[in-house]
PDB file of all heavy atoms in Angstrom:
ATOM      1  N   PHE A   1      -5.879  11.668  29.695  1.00  0.00           N
ATOM      2  CA  PHE A   1      -4.761  12.204  30.460  1.00  0.00           C
ATOM      3  C   PHE A   1      -3.641  12.680  29.531  1.00  0.00           C
ATOM      4  O   PHE A   1      -3.117  13.775  29.736  1.00  0.00           O
ATOM      5  CB  PHE A   1      -4.190  11.148  31.435  1.00  0.00           C
ATOM      6  CG  PHE A   1      -5.141  10.687  32.450  1.00  0.00           C
ATOM      7  CD1 PHE A   1      -5.812   9.490  32.329  1.00  0.00           C
ATOM      8  CD2 PHE A   1      -5.383  11.449  33.576  1.00  0.00           C
ATOM      9  CE1 PHE A   1      -6.684   9.063  33.298  1.00  0.00           C
ATOM     10  CE2 PHE A   1      -6.270  11.016  34.553  1.00  0.00           C
ATOM     11  CZ  PHE A   1      -6.915   9.821  34.408  1.00  0.00           C
ATOM     12  N   TYR A   2      -3.286  11.878  28.569  1.00  0.00           N
ATOM     13  CA  TYR A   2      -2.144  12.188  27.670  1.00  0.00           C
ATOM     14  C   TYR A   2      -2.585  12.774  26.361  1.00  0.00           C
ATOM     15  O   TYR A   2      -1.988  13.706  25.868  1.00  0.00           O
ATOM     16  CB  TYR A   2      -1.306  10.881  27.469  1.00  0.00           C
ATOM     17  CG  TYR A   2      -0.723  10.434  28.766  1.00  0.00           C
ATOM     18  CD1 TYR A   2      -1.155   9.185  29.250  1.00  0.00           C
ATOM     19  CD2 TYR A   2       0.148  11.112  29.490  1.00  0.00           C
ATOM     20  CE1 TYR A   2      -0.686   8.675  30.450  1.00  0.00           C
ATOM     21  CE2 TYR A   2       0.659  10.645  30.697  1.00  0.00           C
ATOM     22  CZ  TYR A   2       0.248   9.416  31.177  1.00  0.00           C
ATOM     23  OH  TYR A   2       0.725   8.924  32.355  1.00  0.00           O
ATOM     24  N   HIS A   3      -3.561  12.129  25.709  1.00  0.00           N
ATOM     25  CA  HIS A   3      -4.020  12.634  24.407  1.00  0.00           C
ATOM     26  C   HIS A   3      -4.880  13.863  24.603  1.00  0.00           C
ATOM     27  O   HIS A   3      -5.697  13.913  25.548  1.00  0.00           O
ATOM     28  CB  HIS A   3      -4.855  11.534  23.700  1.00  0.00           C
ATOM     29  CG  HIS A   3      -3.973  10.450  23.123  1.00  0.00           C
ATOM     30  ND1 HIS A   3      -3.616   9.372  23.892  1.00  0.00           N
ATOM     31  CD2 HIS A   3      -3.438  10.279  21.930  1.00  0.00           C
ATOM     32  CE1 HIS A   3      -2.830   8.580  23.205  1.00  0.00           C
ATOM     33  NE2 HIS A   3      -2.720   9.098  21.977  1.00  0.00           N
ATOM     34  N   THR A   4      -4.706  14.839  23.785  1.00  0.00           N
ATOM     35  CA  THR A   4      -5.427  16.095  23.907  1.00  0.00           C
ATOM     36  C   THR A   4      -6.895  15.891  23.707  1.00  0.00           C
ATOM     37  O   THR A   4      -7.332  15.157  22.782  1.00  0.00           O
ATOM     38  CB  THR A   4      -4.916  17.123  22.833  1.00  0.00           C
ATOM     39  OG1 THR A   4      -3.534  17.242  22.955  1.00  0.00           O
ATOM     40  CG2 THR A   4      -5.587  18.452  22.996  1.00  0.00           C
ATOM     41  N   ASP A   5      -7.682  16.474  24.591  1.00  0.00           N
ATOM     42  CA  ASP A   5      -9.124  16.411  24.455  1.00  0.00           C
ATOM     43  C   ASP A   5      -9.621  17.255  23.296  1.00  0.00           C
ATOM     44  O   ASP A   5      -9.275  18.427  23.216  1.00  0.00           O
ATOM     45  CB  ASP A   5      -9.851  16.880  25.750  1.00  0.00           C
ATOM     46  CG  ASP A   5      -9.657  15.919  26.901  1.00  0.00           C
ATOM     47  OD1 ASP A   5      -9.317  14.722  26.633  1.00  0.00           O
ATOM     48  OD2 ASP A   5      -9.811  16.329  28.053  1.00  0.00           O
ATOM     49  N   ARG A   6     -10.312  16.640  22.406  1.00  0.00           N
ATOM     50  CA  ARG A   6     -10.896  17.311  21.231  1.00  0.00           C
ATOM     51  C   ARG A   6     -12.294  16.771  21.006  1.00  0.00           C
ATOM     52  O   ARG A   6     -12.518  15.542  21.295  1.00  0.00           O
ATOM     53  CB  ARG A   6     -10.096  17.085  19.971  1.00  0.00           C
ATOM     54  CG  ARG A   6      -8.797  17.861  19.932  1.00  0.00           C
ATOM     55  CD  ARG A   6      -8.231  17.787  18.503  1.00  0.00           C
ATOM     56  NE  ARG A   6      -6.853  17.374  18.615  1.00  0.00           N
ATOM     57  CZ  ARG A   6      -6.176  16.808  17.689  1.00  0.00           C
ATOM     58  NH1 ARG A   6      -6.697  16.497  16.536  1.00  0.00           N
ATOM     59  NH2 ARG A   6      -4.901  16.443  17.862  1.00  0.00           N
ATOM     60  N   PRO A   7     -13.226  17.520  20.501  1.00  0.00           N
ATOM     61  CA  PRO A   7     -14.524  16.998  20.247  1.00  0.00           C
ATOM     62  C   PRO A   7     -14.528  15.774  19.341  1.00  0.00           C
ATOM     63  O   PRO A   7     -13.834  15.745  18.332  1.00  0.00           O
ATOM     64  CB  PRO A   7     -15.258  18.200  19.560  1.00  0.00           C
ATOM     65  CG  PRO A   7     -14.526  19.415  20.004  1.00  0.00           C
ATOM     66  CD  PRO A   7     -13.099  18.977  20.176  1.00  0.00           C
ATOM     67  N   GLY A   8     -15.194  14.722  19.804  1.00  0.00           N
ATOM     68  CA  GLY A   8     -15.264  13.497  19.012  1.00  0.00           C
ATOM     69  C   GLY A   8     -14.064  12.582  19.108  1.00  0.00           C
ATOM     70  O   GLY A   8     -14.016  11.529  18.420  1.00  0.00           O
ATOM     71  N   ARG A   9     -13.062  12.964  19.914  1.00  0.00           N
ATOM     72  CA  ARG A   9     -11.862  12.167  20.046  1.00  0.00           C
ATOM     73  C   ARG A   9     -11.857  11.411  21.377  1.00  0.00           C
ATOM     74  O   ARG A   9     -11.836  12.046  22.437  1.00  0.00           O
ATOM     75  CB  ARG A   9     -10.611  13.046  19.982  1.00  0.00           C
ATOM     76  CG  ARG A   9      -9.326  12.278  20.074  1.00  0.00           C
ATOM     77  CD  ARG A   9      -8.167  13.247  20.022  1.00  0.00           C
ATOM     78  NE  ARG A   9      -6.916  12.490  19.876  1.00  0.00           N
ATOM     79  CZ  ARG A   9      -5.787  13.073  19.737  1.00  0.00           C
ATOM     80  NH1 ARG A   9      -5.680  14.385  19.648  1.00  0.00           N
ATOM     81  NH2 ARG A   9      -4.672  12.365  19.578  1.00  0.00           N
ATOM     82  N   PRO A  10     -11.879  10.101  21.389  1.00  0.00           N
ATOM     83  CA  PRO A  10     -11.946   9.337  22.621  1.00  0.00           C
ATOM     84  C   PRO A  10     -10.518   9.300  23.329  1.00  0.00           C
ATOM     85  O   PRO A  10      -9.850   8.262  23.297  1.00  0.00           O
ATOM     86  CB  PRO A  10     -12.409   7.951  22.186  1.00  0.00           C
ATOM     87  CG  PRO A  10     -11.895   7.841  20.781  1.00  0.00           C
ATOM     88  CD  PRO A  10     -11.961   9.217  20.217  1.00  0.00           C
ATOM     89  N   SER A  11     -10.128  10.389  23.912  1.00  0.00           N
ATOM     90  CA  SER A  11      -8.810  10.572  24.404  1.00  0.00           C
ATOM     91  C   SER A  11      -8.395   9.498  25.478  1.00  0.00           C
ATOM     92  O   SER A  11      -7.297   8.970  25.471  1.00  0.00           O
ATOM     93  CB  SER A  11      -8.619  11.979  25.021  1.00  0.00           C
ATOM     94  OG  SER A  11      -8.805  12.948  23.971  1.00  0.00           O
ATOM     95  N   LEU A  12      -9.318   9.216  26.409  1.00  0.00           N
ATOM     96  CA  LEU A  12      -8.971   8.188  27.446  1.00  0.00           C
ATOM     97  C   LEU A  12      -8.841   6.824  26.780  1.00  0.00           C
ATOM     98  O   LEU A  12      -7.947   6.046  27.185  1.00  0.00           O
ATOM     99  CB  LEU A  12     -10.025   8.201  28.586  1.00  0.00           C
ATOM    100  CG  LEU A  12      -9.725   7.244  29.707  1.00  0.00           C
ATOM    101  CD1 LEU A  12      -8.359   7.547  30.381  1.00  0.00           C
ATOM    102  CD2 LEU A  12     -10.861   7.323  30.769  1.00  0.00           C
ATOM    103  N   ALA A  13      -9.655   6.519  25.811  1.00  0.00           N
ATOM    104  CA  ALA A  13      -9.551   5.258  25.107  1.00  0.00           C
ATOM    105  C   ALA A  13      -8.192   5.168  24.367  1.00  0.00           C
ATOM    106  O   ALA A  13      -7.522   4.147  24.374  1.00  0.00           O
ATOM    107  CB  ALA A  13     -10.676   5.090  24.110  1.00  0.00           C
ATOM    108  N   LEU A  14      -7.765   6.299  23.792  1.00  0.00           N
ATOM    109  CA  LEU A  14      -6.490   6.339  23.124  1.00  0.00           C
ATOM    110  C   LEU A  14      -5.341   6.183  24.103  1.00  0.00           C
ATOM    111  O   LEU A  14      -4.330   5.506  23.865  1.00  0.00           O
ATOM    112  CB  LEU A  14      -6.302   7.626  22.282  1.00  0.00           C
ATOM    113  CG  LEU A  14      -7.292   7.761  21.165  1.00  0.00           C
ATOM    114  CD1 LEU A  14      -7.126   9.149  20.534  1.00  0.00           C
ATOM    115  CD2 LEU A  14      -7.084   6.681  20.122  1.00  0.00           C
ATOM    116  N   ASP A  15      -5.480   6.821  25.278  1.00  0.00           N
ATOM    117  CA  ASP A  15      -4.484   6.674  26.339  1.00  0.00           C
ATOM    118  C   ASP A  15      -4.312   5.195  26.773  1.00  0.00           C
ATOM    119  O   ASP A  15      -3.217   4.671  26.834  1.00  0.00           O
ATOM    120  CB  ASP A  15      -4.887   7.461  27.621  1.00  0.00           C
ATOM    121  CG  ASP A  15      -4.824   8.942  27.443  1.00  0.00           C
ATOM    122  OD1 ASP A  15      -4.257   9.400  26.442  1.00  0.00           O
ATOM    123  OD2 ASP A  15      -5.362   9.655  28.307  1.00  0.00           O
ATOM    124  N   MET A  16      -5.436   4.539  27.017  1.00  0.00           N
ATOM    125  CA  MET A  16      -5.413   3.159  27.469  1.00  0.00           C
ATOM    126  C   MET A  16      -4.952   2.169  26.387  1.00  0.00           C
ATOM    127  O   MET A  16      -4.344   1.182  26.663  1.00  0.00           O
ATOM    128  CB  MET A  16      -6.783   2.691  27.980  1.00  0.00           C
ATOM    129  CG  MET A  16      -6.773   1.360  28.661  1.00  0.00           C
ATOM    130  SD  MET A  16      -8.223   1.014  29.581  1.00  0.00           S
ATOM    131  CE  MET A  16      -7.928   2.090  30.995  1.00  0.00           C
ATOM    132  N   MET A  17      -5.204   2.566  25.117  1.00  0.00           N
ATOM    133  CA  MET A  17      -4.727   1.731  24.009  1.00  0.00           C
ATOM    134  C   MET A  17      -3.220   1.594  23.993  1.00  0.00           C
ATOM    135  O   MET A  17      -2.708   0.571  23.588  1.00  0.00           O
ATOM    136  CB  MET A  17      -5.155   2.346  22.660  1.00  0.00           C
ATOM    137  CG  MET A  17      -6.514   1.929  22.218  1.00  0.00           C
ATOM    138  SD  MET A  17      -6.909   2.716  20.629  1.00  0.00           S
ATOM    139  CE  MET A  17      -5.593   2.033  19.597  1.00  0.00           C
ATOM    140  N   GLU A  18      -2.520   2.632  24.452  1.00  0.00           N
ATOM    141  CA  GLU A  18      -1.045   2.653  24.378  1.00  0.00           C
ATOM    142  C   GLU A  18      -0.455   1.441  25.072  1.00  0.00           C
ATOM    143  O   GLU A  18       0.499   0.829  24.584  1.00  0.00           O
ATOM    144  CB  GLU A  18      -0.477   3.918  24.970  1.00  0.00           C
ATOM    145  CG  GLU A  18      -0.806   5.171  24.203  1.00  0.00           C
ATOM    146  CD  GLU A  18      -0.254   5.221  22.817  1.00  0.00           C
ATOM    147  OE1 GLU A  18       0.804   4.598  22.556  1.00  0.00           O
ATOM    148  OE2 GLU A  18      -0.872   5.854  21.941  1.00  0.00           O
ATOM    149  N   GLU A  19      -0.994   1.054  26.210  1.00  0.00           N
ATOM    150  CA  GLU A  19      -0.444  -0.096  26.924  1.00  0.00           C
ATOM    151  C   GLU A  19      -0.894  -1.458  26.361  1.00  0.00           C
ATOM    152  O   GLU A  19      -0.282  -2.457  26.612  1.00  0.00           O
ATOM    153  CB  GLU A  19      -0.831   0.002  28.383  1.00  0.00           C
ATOM    154  CG  GLU A  19      -2.306  -0.215  28.675  1.00  0.00           C
ATOM    155  CD  GLU A  19      -2.688   0.108  30.120  1.00  0.00           C
ATOM    156  OE1 GLU A  19      -2.652   1.321  30.469  1.00  0.00           O
ATOM    157  OE2 GLU A  19      -2.922  -0.820  30.848  1.00  0.00           O
ATOM    158  N   LEU A  20      -1.987  -1.449  25.574  1.00  0.00           N
ATOM    159  CA  LEU A  20      -2.544  -2.677  25.035  1.00  0.00           C
ATOM    160  C   LEU A  20      -2.119  -2.952  23.601  1.00  0.00           C
ATOM    161  O   LEU A  20      -2.128  -4.102  23.151  1.00  0.00           O
ATOM    162  CB  LEU A  20      -4.049  -2.681  25.138  1.00  0.00           C
ATOM    163  CG  LEU A  20      -4.662  -2.573  26.532  1.00  0.00           C
ATOM    164  CD1 LEU A  20      -6.153  -2.414  26.460  1.00  0.00           C
ATOM    165  CD2 LEU A  20      -4.249  -3.740  27.395  1.00  0.00           C
ATOM    166  N   ARG A  21      -1.710  -1.908  22.883  1.00  0.00           N
ATOM    167  CA  ARG A  21      -1.381  -2.061  21.453  1.00  0.00           C
ATOM    168  C   ARG A  21      -0.234  -3.095  21.214  1.00  0.00           C
ATOM    169  O   ARG A  21      -0.432  -3.979  20.362  1.00  0.00           O
ATOM    170  CB  ARG A  21      -0.937  -0.726  20.859  1.00  0.00           C
ATOM    171  CG  ARG A  21      -2.060   0.155  20.529  1.00  0.00           C
ATOM    172  CD  ARG A  21      -1.661   1.417  19.826  1.00  0.00           C
ATOM    173  NE  ARG A  21      -0.233   1.762  19.932  1.00  0.00           N
ATOM    174  CZ  ARG A  21       0.305   2.773  19.339  1.00  0.00           C
ATOM    175  NH1 ARG A  21      -0.415   3.576  18.594  1.00  0.00           N
ATOM    176  NH2 ARG A  21       1.597   3.029  19.486  1.00  0.00           N
ATOM    177  N   PRO A  22       0.859  -3.054  21.916  1.00  0.00           N
ATOM    178  CA  PRO A  22       1.929  -4.068  21.628  1.00  0.00           C
ATOM    179  C   PRO A  22       1.452  -5.482  21.776  1.00  0.00           C
ATOM    180  O   PRO A  22       1.725  -6.333  20.925  1.00  0.00           O
ATOM    181  CB  PRO A  22       3.011  -3.705  22.587  1.00  0.00           C
ATOM    182  CG  PRO A  22       2.760  -2.314  23.042  1.00  0.00           C
ATOM    183  CD  PRO A  22       1.284  -2.163  22.954  1.00  0.00           C
ATOM    184  N   PHE A  23       0.695  -5.780  22.821  1.00  0.00           N
ATOM    185  CA  PHE A  23       0.299  -7.157  23.117  1.00  0.00           C
ATOM    186  C   PHE A  23      -0.825  -7.605  22.198  1.00  0.00           C
ATOM    187  O   PHE A  23      -0.883  -8.773  21.798  1.00  0.00           O
ATOM    188  CB  PHE A  23      -0.118  -7.297  24.569  1.00  0.00           C
ATOM    189  CG  PHE A  23      -0.423  -8.680  24.971  1.00  0.00           C
ATOM    190  CD1 PHE A  23       0.588  -9.599  25.132  1.00  0.00           C
ATOM    191  CD2 PHE A  23      -1.710  -9.096  25.181  1.00  0.00           C
ATOM    192  CE1 PHE A  23       0.281 -10.936  25.494  1.00  0.00           C
ATOM    193  CE2 PHE A  23      -2.059 -10.398  25.560  1.00  0.00           C
ATOM    194  CZ  PHE A  23      -1.039 -11.303  25.699  1.00  0.00           C
ATOM    195  N   LEU A  24      -1.786  -6.713  21.961  1.00  0.00           N
ATOM    196  CA  LEU A  24      -2.965  -7.129  21.146  1.00  0.00           C
ATOM    197  C   LEU A  24      -2.787  -6.889  19.623  1.00  0.00           C
ATOM    198  O   LEU A  24      -2.861  -7.831  18.865  1.00  0.00           O
ATOM    199  CB  LEU A  24      -4.222  -6.406  21.650  1.00  0.00           C
ATOM    200  CG  LEU A  24      -4.727  -6.845  23.017  1.00  0.00           C
ATOM    201  CD1 LEU A  24      -5.796  -5.943  23.509  1.00  0.00           C
ATOM    202  CD2 LEU A  24      -5.244  -8.260  22.907  1.00  0.00           C
ATOM    203  N   SER A  25      -2.587  -5.680  19.243  1.00  0.00           N
ATOM    204  CA  SER A  25      -2.573  -5.324  17.833  1.00  0.00           C
ATOM    205  C   SER A  25      -1.241  -5.577  17.148  1.00  0.00           C
ATOM    206  O   SER A  25      -1.178  -6.215  16.089  1.00  0.00           O
ATOM    207  CB  SER A  25      -2.964  -3.870  17.657  1.00  0.00           C
ATOM    208  OG  SER A  25      -4.257  -3.644  18.189  1.00  0.00           O
ATOM    209  N   ASP A  26      -0.162  -5.063  17.697  1.00  0.00           N
ATOM    210  CA  ASP A  26       1.142  -5.184  17.026  1.00  0.00           C
ATOM    211  C   ASP A  26       1.569  -6.589  16.871  1.00  0.00           C
ATOM    212  O   ASP A  26       2.073  -7.054  15.829  1.00  0.00           O
ATOM    213  CB  ASP A  26       2.230  -4.333  17.772  1.00  0.00           C
ATOM    214  CG  ASP A  26       1.885  -2.874  17.855  1.00  0.00           C
ATOM    215  OD1 ASP A  26       1.006  -2.373  17.124  1.00  0.00           O
ATOM    216  OD2 ASP A  26       2.573  -2.192  18.620  1.00  0.00           O
ATOM    217  N   ARG A  27       1.416  -7.402  17.930  1.00  0.00           N
ATOM    218  CA  ARG A  27       1.808  -8.773  17.891  1.00  0.00           C
ATOM    219  C   ARG A  27       1.002  -9.529  16.872  1.00  0.00           C
ATOM    220  O   ARG A  27       1.524 -10.381  16.138  1.00  0.00           O
ATOM    221  CB  ARG A  27       1.629  -9.392  19.293  1.00  0.00           C
ATOM    222  CG  ARG A  27       2.146 -10.837  19.352  1.00  0.00           C
ATOM    223  CD  ARG A  27       2.045 -11.399  20.747  1.00  0.00           C
ATOM    224  NE  ARG A  27       3.069 -10.757  21.575  1.00  0.00           N
ATOM    225  CZ  ARG A  27       3.258 -11.074  22.847  1.00  0.00           C
ATOM    226  NH1 ARG A  27       2.586 -12.012  23.452  1.00  0.00           N
ATOM    227  NH2 ARG A  27       4.219 -10.450  23.534  1.00  0.00           N
ATOM    228  N   LEU A  28      -0.329  -9.272  16.839  1.00  0.00           N
ATOM    229  CA  LEU A  28      -1.190  -9.987  15.890  1.00  0.00           C
ATOM    230  C   LEU A  28      -0.779  -9.582  14.433  1.00  0.00           C
ATOM    231  O   LEU A  28      -0.715 -10.462  13.544  1.00  0.00           O
ATOM    232  CB  LEU A  28      -2.623  -9.639  16.137  1.00  0.00           C
ATOM    233  CG  LEU A  28      -3.649 -10.314  15.168  1.00  0.00           C
ATOM    234  CD1 LEU A  28      -3.528 -11.840  15.239  1.00  0.00           C
ATOM    235  CD2 LEU A  28      -5.042  -9.908  15.549  1.00  0.00           C
ATOM    236  N   ALA A  29      -0.495  -8.327  14.198  1.00  0.00           N
ATOM    237  CA  ALA A  29      -0.088  -7.906  12.856  1.00  0.00           C
ATOM    238  C   ALA A  29       1.195  -8.614  12.450  1.00  0.00           C
ATOM    239  O   ALA A  29       1.264  -9.153  11.318  1.00  0.00           O
ATOM    240  CB  ALA A  29       0.183  -6.405  12.792  1.00  0.00           C
ATOM    241  N   LEU A  30       2.162  -8.709  13.300  1.00  0.00           N
ATOM    242  CA  LEU A  30       3.399  -9.378  12.995  1.00  0.00           C
ATOM    243  C   LEU A  30       3.191 -10.888  12.742  1.00  0.00           C
ATOM    244  O   LEU A  30       3.759 -11.468  11.816  1.00  0.00           O
ATOM    245  CB  LEU A  30       4.431  -9.214  14.104  1.00  0.00           C
ATOM    246  CG  LEU A  30       5.016  -7.783  14.220  1.00  0.00           C
ATOM    247  CD1 LEU A  30       5.878  -7.647  15.461  1.00  0.00           C
ATOM    248  CD2 LEU A  30       5.824  -7.418  12.968  1.00  0.00           C
ATOM    249  N   ASN A  31       2.375 -11.511  13.536  1.00  0.00           N
ATOM    250  CA  ASN A  31       2.007 -12.937  13.376  1.00  0.00           C
ATOM    251  C   ASN A  31       1.329 -13.141  12.023  1.00  0.00           C
ATOM    252  O   ASN A  31       1.677 -14.088  11.334  1.00  0.00           O
ATOM    253  CB  ASN A  31       1.161 -13.450  14.512  1.00  0.00           C
ATOM    254  CG  ASN A  31       1.946 -13.684  15.765  1.00  0.00           C
ATOM    255  OD1 ASN A  31       3.157 -13.783  15.772  1.00  0.00           O
ATOM    256  ND2 ASN A  31       1.219 -13.777  16.907  1.00  0.00           N
ATOM    257  N   LEU A  32       0.395 -12.316  11.678  1.00  0.00           N
ATOM    258  CA  LEU A  32      -0.298 -12.452  10.418  1.00  0.00           C
ATOM    259  C   LEU A  32       0.642 -12.389   9.241  1.00  0.00           C
ATOM    260  O   LEU A  32       0.523 -13.154   8.278  1.00  0.00           O
ATOM    261  CB  LEU A  32      -1.413 -11.448  10.252  1.00  0.00           C
ATOM    262  CG  LEU A  32      -2.643 -11.614  11.120  1.00  0.00           C
ATOM    263  CD1 LEU A  32      -3.514 -10.369  11.104  1.00  0.00           C
ATOM    264  CD2 LEU A  32      -3.442 -12.837  10.647  1.00  0.00           C
ATOM    265  N   VAL A  33       1.607 -11.470   9.259  1.00  0.00           N
ATOM    266  CA  VAL A  33       2.572 -11.348   8.224  1.00  0.00           C
ATOM    267  C   VAL A  33       3.567 -12.487   8.219  1.00  0.00           C
ATOM    268  O   VAL A  33       3.811 -13.105   7.215  1.00  0.00           O
ATOM    269  CB  VAL A  33       3.285  -9.967   8.266  1.00  0.00           C
ATOM    270  CG1 VAL A  33       4.447  -9.878   7.288  1.00  0.00           C
ATOM    271  CG2 VAL A  33       2.261  -8.833   8.002  1.00  0.00           C
ATOM    272  N   ASN A  34       4.144 -12.752   9.408  1.00  0.00           N
ATOM    273  CA  ASN A  34       5.186 -13.772   9.471  1.00  0.00           C
ATOM    274  C   ASN A  34       4.658 -15.200   9.124  1.00  0.00           C
ATOM    275  O   ASN A  34       5.387 -16.016   8.588  1.00  0.00           O
ATOM    276  CB  ASN A  34       5.818 -13.801  10.871  1.00  0.00           C
ATOM    277  CG  ASN A  34       6.694 -12.569  11.108  1.00  0.00           C
ATOM    278  OD1 ASN A  34       7.196 -11.961  10.153  1.00  0.00           O
ATOM    279  ND2 ASN A  34       6.948 -12.226  12.341  1.00  0.00           N
ATOM    280  N   LEU A  35       3.400 -15.469   9.509  1.00  0.00           N
ATOM    281  CA  LEU A  35       2.797 -16.755   9.201  1.00  0.00           C
ATOM    282  C   LEU A  35       2.165 -16.783   7.812  1.00  0.00           C
ATOM    283  O   LEU A  35       1.491 -17.751   7.496  1.00  0.00           O
ATOM    284  CB  LEU A  35       1.813 -17.157  10.285  1.00  0.00           C
ATOM    285  CG  LEU A  35       2.373 -17.338  11.682  1.00  0.00           C
ATOM    286  CD1 LEU A  35       1.286 -17.530  12.730  1.00  0.00           C
ATOM    287  CD2 LEU A  35       3.397 -18.504  11.719  1.00  0.00           C
ATOM    288  N   GLN A  36       2.335 -15.715   7.087  1.00  0.00           N
ATOM    289  CA  GLN A  36       1.839 -15.564   5.704  1.00  0.00           C
ATOM    290  C   GLN A  36       0.326 -15.729   5.597  1.00  0.00           C
ATOM    291  O   GLN A  36      -0.180 -16.228   4.612  1.00  0.00           O
ATOM    292  CB  GLN A  36       2.636 -16.491   4.782  1.00  0.00           C
ATOM    293  CG  GLN A  36       4.073 -16.182   4.695  1.00  0.00           C
ATOM    294  CD  GLN A  36       4.852 -17.124   3.855  1.00  0.00           C
ATOM    295  OE1 GLN A  36       4.331 -18.112   3.322  1.00  0.00           O
ATOM    296  NE2 GLN A  36       6.145 -16.830   3.689  1.00  0.00           N
ATOM    297  N   GLN A  37      -0.423 -15.322   6.652  1.00  0.00           N
ATOM    298  CA  GLN A  37      -1.865 -15.299   6.616  1.00  0.00           C
ATOM    299  C   GLN A  37      -2.310 -14.049   5.876  1.00  0.00           C
ATOM    300  O   GLN A  37      -3.480 -14.037   5.367  1.00  0.00           O
ATOM    301  CB  GLN A  37      -2.401 -15.402   8.006  1.00  0.00           C
ATOM    302  CG  GLN A  37      -2.196 -16.741   8.666  1.00  0.00           C
ATOM    303  CD  GLN A  37      -2.587 -16.699  10.150  1.00  0.00           C
ATOM    304  OE1 GLN A  37      -1.951 -16.088  10.959  1.00  0.00           O
ATOM    305  NE2 GLN A  37      -3.675 -17.390  10.394  1.00  0.00           N
ATOM    306  N   ILE A  38      -1.527 -13.033   5.868  1.00  0.00           N
ATOM    307  CA  ILE A  38      -1.741 -11.807   5.153  1.00  0.00           C
ATOM    308  C   ILE A  38      -0.526 -11.548   4.268  1.00  0.00           C
ATOM    309  O   ILE A  38       0.613 -11.649   4.730  1.00  0.00           O
ATOM    310  CB  ILE A  38      -1.951 -10.608   6.138  1.00  0.00           C
ATOM    311  CG1 ILE A  38      -3.213 -10.763   6.933  1.00  0.00           C
ATOM    312  CG2 ILE A  38      -1.923  -9.261   5.366  1.00  0.00           C
ATOM    313  CD1 ILE A  38      -4.495 -10.587   6.137  1.00  0.00           C
ATOM    314  N   GLY A  39      -0.762 -11.263   3.001  1.00  0.00           N
ATOM    315  CA  GLY A  39       0.342 -11.004   2.073  1.00  0.00           C
ATOM    316  C   GLY A  39       0.037  -9.806   1.185  1.00  0.00           C
ATOM    317  O   GLY A  39      -0.992  -9.184   1.320  1.00  0.00           O
ATOM    318  N   LYS A  40       0.913  -9.619   0.208  1.00  0.00           N
ATOM    319  CA  LYS A  40       0.765  -8.411  -0.656  1.00  0.00           C
ATOM    320  C   LYS A  40      -0.509  -8.506  -1.488  1.00  0.00           C
ATOM    321  O   LYS A  40      -1.017  -7.486  -1.903  1.00  0.00           O
ATOM    322  CB  LYS A  40       1.994  -8.301  -1.615  1.00  0.00           C
ATOM    323  CG  LYS A  40       2.194  -9.402  -2.563  1.00  0.00           C
ATOM    324  CD  LYS A  40       3.401  -9.188  -3.400  1.00  0.00           C
ATOM    325  CE  LYS A  40       3.545 -10.313  -4.379  1.00  0.00           C
ATOM    326  NZ  LYS A  40       4.677 -10.124  -5.277  1.00  0.00           N
TER     327      LYS A  40
END
């Protein structure tokens, strides 16, 4: 709906990711860094 359709690009998956990214990916990334499970 939102991401432009291009060959090989999963546009609907990218659309749906927008609502899930903060809760799943972004929060996990911050936790990994803040809890020092991932470092430089």
